Amino acid sequence: MKAGQFFKQFTAKNGKAVTLRSLKWEDLDSAVGFINGLVSERDEDPGFGIISDKKQTRESEAVWLAERLAAIESGNAIDIVAEIEGRMIGNCEVLRGKTSDEHHHGFLGISVSKAYRDTGIGRELMKTIIEECRKADFKTMELEVFANNPRAIHLYKDVGFKQVGLIPKKIFRDGSSFYGIILMSIVL
């Protein structure tokens, strides 16, 4: 996979034209806005299933982006951006296992901006990343999802993931709230 590689274009349920492509350096400013929008949503709703707990600066996001682009170029990551009108509104990534014993296995993360959920973008991201992982010779993948997120759980099951475990109270927020995490996996 190469930075900026085009995968597909489609029309979301809201009528917007969406481009799916791999991450590239020019995404830096859009990536800062994207992650900080998700962190703001988490601040408003502690039950929102994003792990990032603080807003990112352009500098901190540049470090993340440089590391991710290196991982993409070396074949250790697949990272797909959903873009509308030149702005990142979704991201799906799979990081390859770090040891030779887990090199065939991937750890998946996905997020879509609030304004673009329930428009089919998450489903297209998932279908595309699964296809790209098969091409890259991944054999299995896993993900974690907040147990209180039935919409995401439904999507993951729909594209072939199965629940393999539950970690009660894994996440603790606001000094008083615990959230369980469901573990899901897929064999490719």
Side-chain angles (χ1 to χ4, degrees), residues 1 7 22-23 68 71-72 75-80 91-96 107 109 128-138 141:
M1 170 183 281
F7 295 111
S22 65
L23 195 63
R68 185 54 45 87
I72 290 168
N76 290 316
I78 297 175
D79 198 307
I80 301 176
N91 181 256
C92 190
E93 62 191 15
V94 173
L95 303 177
R96 195 178 284 279
F107 301 88
T128 304
I129 201 116
I130 288 169
E131 180 181 319
E132 292 303 312
C133 284
R134 284 185 175 124
K135 289 178 188 175
D137 206 29
F138 283 82
M141 286 192 295

Side-chain angles (χ1 to χ4, degrees), residues 46-71:
F48 178 57
I50 184 170
I51 300 301
S52 295
D53 60 353
K54 62 182 177 183
K55 293 201 174 180
Q56 299 299 305
T57 64
R58 190 171 196 275
E59 292 76 25
S60 65
E61 197 71 358
V63 169
W64 170 84
L65 182 58
E67 290 171 356
R68 185 54 45 87
L69 290 172

Side-chain angles (χ1 to χ4, degrees), residues 24-41:
K24 59 185 180 180
W25 183 254
E26 293 80 7
D27 289 324
L28 177 59
D29 291 323
S30 191
V32 172
F34 177 69
I35 187 63
N36 287 343
L38 295 171
V39 172
S40 291
E41 187 175 352

Side-chain angles (χ1 to χ4, degrees), residues 77-148:
I78 297 175
D79 198 307
I80 301 176
V81 168
E83 177 181 71
I84 293 178
E85 298 170 355
R87 191 169 56 97
M88 182 186 300
I89 55 86
N91 181 256
C92 190
E93 62 191 15
V94 173
L95 303 177
R96 195 178 284 279
K98 293 182 181 180
T99 67
S100 60
D101 291 342
E102 289 187 321
H103 192 72
H104 66 282
H105 183 74
F107 301 88
L108 184 139
I110 182 172
S111 51
V112 175
S113 295
K114 188 174 187 174
Y116 297 98
R117 293 185 195 131
D118 295 320
T119 62
I121 294 169
R123 180 172 305 282
E124 288 299 321
L125 280 166
M126 290 294 292
K127 287 170 34 182
T128 304
I129 201 116
I130 288 169
E131 180 181 319
E132 292 303 312
C133 284
R134 284 185 175 124
K135 289 178 188 175
D137 206 29
F138 283 82
K139 303 299 182 200
T140 57
M141 286 192 295
E142 71 180 73
L143 63 82
E144 294 184 353
V145 59
F146 274 47
N148 65 329

Side-chain angles (χ1 to χ4, degrees), residues 1 6 17 66 78 95 98 137 154 167 173 177 183:
M1 170 183 281
F6 174 82
I78 297 175
L95 303 177
K98 293 182 181 180
D137 206 29
H154 174 77
I167 304 172
R173 290 194 177 155
S177 300
L183 304 173

